[in-house]
Amino acid sequence: MSVVIVGGGLAGISSALALREAGVPVTLVESRPWLGGATHSFLRGELCVDNGQHVFLRCCSAYQGLLRRLRADHLVEVQDRFDVPVLLPGSEPARLRRSRLPSPLHLLPALAGYAPLSPADRIRAVRASVGLRRLDPSDPALDAVPAGAWLADRGQRPWARQALWGLFLTSALNAEVDEAALGLSAMVCRRALFGRADAADIGLPLVPLEELHGGPALRRIAEMGGTVRLKAKVEAVTTDPKVVVDGVPVAADAVIMAVPHEAAARLLPAQALPDPLRWPELDASPIVNVHVVYDRKVMDEPFAAAVGSPAQWMFDRTAVSGLRRGQYLAISLSAADRWIDMPTAEIRARFVPELRRLLPAARDARVRDLFVTRERRATFRQGPGSAGARPGAATRAPGLFLAGAWTDTGWPDTMEGAVRSGLTAARLVRRHLEGVRDR
């Protein structure tokens, strides 16, 4: 019995590998000339550039399982323990670093000494963290509440919400704290910050994303006997089920739609869609990356966060990109509505002086190159009400299933969520195929 998977991002790749491990024939169809979906790379002169900076946490078990399946787990590096330098213009760098204490005490010393907040704000932050630990992220009522309003009710003033909670929630949910859903915010905090002591340790790729995901996936699926069709356009899906690829119907016993929600709604037959169709409510939230190449080293850390600054997170991309002289920094801007349509010249005028404020060594350095990558629809908009619009993996049509970080995974729209969705869809497909065999 065969399965067609539409979409070659992490969700589709995960589904394909899981099904091949179970002995199910799979054909993975991708419209682009590469696998990896939203995690891909391109060449710019001597640089190999990722379309955006991606990180993961030690608690992202499904994603790390995918890397092992791809035989690429040696191409990432995870911190020994959570440690984030925090830059504040005009001040000495601060640091958030977990202690050796057991959870949930492991972050208390970091909060107690977090210099950007006043002593009173640090105490209030500890109290708020206790309240967050008591929330149940699966409670539907939390989905209707903005995280910022909940935090404000517990003494978190605007500066604390930006300088502390925004460090974690804005990057994790691609949403400003005041606009993020409380349910997902509580999930992130409980799982990463207040779960296992090592849960928030940060992992980074040591190679470009194409070498970490797309290339290994193409090779591994082929080694396992699966079929990959690149640059293949899916025009429709029928309830037979069939997938119309480049005008030719391809029969299958099951189909997994591992594509963005807009594409899934357009391609699936009406009989498979819920009524009412709420997926459009998920909308989209952008991410912008500002890539700056200096003629010398200006930042000693592999990455740093910034508060009181438009720069949110900065990453040293020098070694990963193959740069031989100078230093290449990527500034990752989540919830980037204000930046997504701004001309590159204006972004340059904003961020070159800002980097001089944050990094003293940049004041004497020359910018050799600056360019911008924009992901207009990087994630769905993870605000209040979004959880109710996320569908499960099963559709109303037997044999048609959904995968993607936008589906109801219980996780934010992240690499981990994408992989989990693919594994869920593969599990449901196997159950469906067993039922077909038994008839």
Side-chain angles (χ1 to χ4, degrees), residues 96-365:
L96 282 170
R97 189 170 192 241
R98 73 171 171 91
S99 71
R100 300 295 186 186
L101 294 172
S103 176
L105 304 176
H106 58 296
L107 289 178
L108 279 180
L111 286 175
Y114 187 47
L117 298 187
S118 69
D121 278 334
R122 296 174 208 168
I123 293 172
R124 284 189 282 264
V126 171
R127 291 173 180 164
S129 68
V130 172
L132 276 170
R133 287 189 70 240
R134 293 173 177 166
L135 296 178
D136 178 4
S138 63
D139 182 353
L142 300 189
D143 182 49
V145 180
W150 187 92
L151 288 167
D153 288 344
R154 283 146 188 83
Q156 303 305 285
R157 297 184 294 184
W159 173 242
R161 298 200 299 274
Q162 175 192 348
L164 177 61
W165 301 106
L167 283 182
F168 309 109
L169 297 180
T170 298
S171 57
L173 302 182
N174 195 23
E176 299 288 355
V177 174
D178 290 352
E179 299 170 1
L182 178 58
L184 276 175
S185 300
M187 182 272 172
V188 168
C189 291
R190 286 192 54 168
R191 181 63 67 101
L193 300 180
F194 311 134
R196 269 180 15 199
D198 64 351
D201 298 349
I202 296 172
L204 290 169
L206 299 175
V207 295
L209 293 173
E210 191 280 331
E211 296 179 31
L212 185 63
H213 300 149
L218 196 61
R219 293 189 294 272
R220 190 73 186 113
I221 294 171
E223 289 170 2
M224 298 175 74
T227 299
V228 177
R229 294 181 59 179
L230 299 176
K231 296 190 285 188
K233 182 180 179 182
V234 173
E235 298 166 0
V237 178
T238 66
T239 54
D240 302 349
K242 289 188 180 73
V243 180
V244 182
V245 184
D246 294 330
V248 179
V250 178
D253 296 291
V255 174
I256 296 175
M257 299 296 294
V259 294
H261 60 88
E262 306 96 332
R266 184 177 69 252
L267 293 170
L268 283 171
Q271 303 95 307
L273 299 175
D275 186 20
L277 179 64
R278 295 193 58 194
W279 304 348
E281 297 175 27
L282 294 174
D283 198 10
S285 184
I287 293 177
V288 167
N289 277 258
V290 183
H291 307 260
V292 188
V293 180
Y294 286 99
D295 65 348
R296 67 195 71 181
K297 190 171 185 177
V298 298
M299 187 174 80
D300 292 327
E301 305 282 359
F303 61 86
V307 296
S309 165
Q312 297 171 9
W313 287 81
M314 291 163 284
F315 297 86
D316 180 3
R317 303 281 306 167
T318 308
V320 174
S321 69
L323 182 68
R324 297 175 182 175
R325 295 181 297 106
Q327 188 174 34
Y328 164 22
L329 301 183
I331 307 169
S332 183
L333 305 174
S334 300
D337 296 88
R338 64 180 289 201
W339 309 109
I340 190 67
D341 291 315
M342 186 175 289
T344 298
E346 190 170 344
I347 288 178
R348 179 187 180 110
R350 300 276 187 102
F351 281 93
V352 170
E354 190 61 27
L355 288 172
R356 291 184 185 129
R357 288 206 309 154
L358 293 168
L359 303 169
R363 295 165 193 168
D364 298 321

Side-chain angles (χ1 to χ4, degrees), residues 61 81 125 178 214 322:
S61 56
R81 56 173 159 160
D178 290 352

Side-chain angles (χ1 to χ4, degrees), residues 9-12 15 256-261 380 390-393 401-409 411-423 425:
L10 298 190
S15 294
I256 296 175
M257 299 296 294
V259 294
H261 60 88
F380 71 89
R390 299 175 74 177
F401 300 91
L402 302 173
W406 57 278
T407 60
D408 185 13
T409 65
W411 280 71
D413 190 338
T414 57
M415 296 190 297
E416 176 73 7
V419 174
R420 285 174 178 261
S421 76
L423 297 176

Side-chain angles (χ1 to χ4, degrees), residues 21-35:
E21 286 175 352
V24 178
V26 297
T27 298
L28 179 61
V29 182
E30 169 57 53
S31 61
R32 289 172 285 198
W34 67 80
L35 295 183

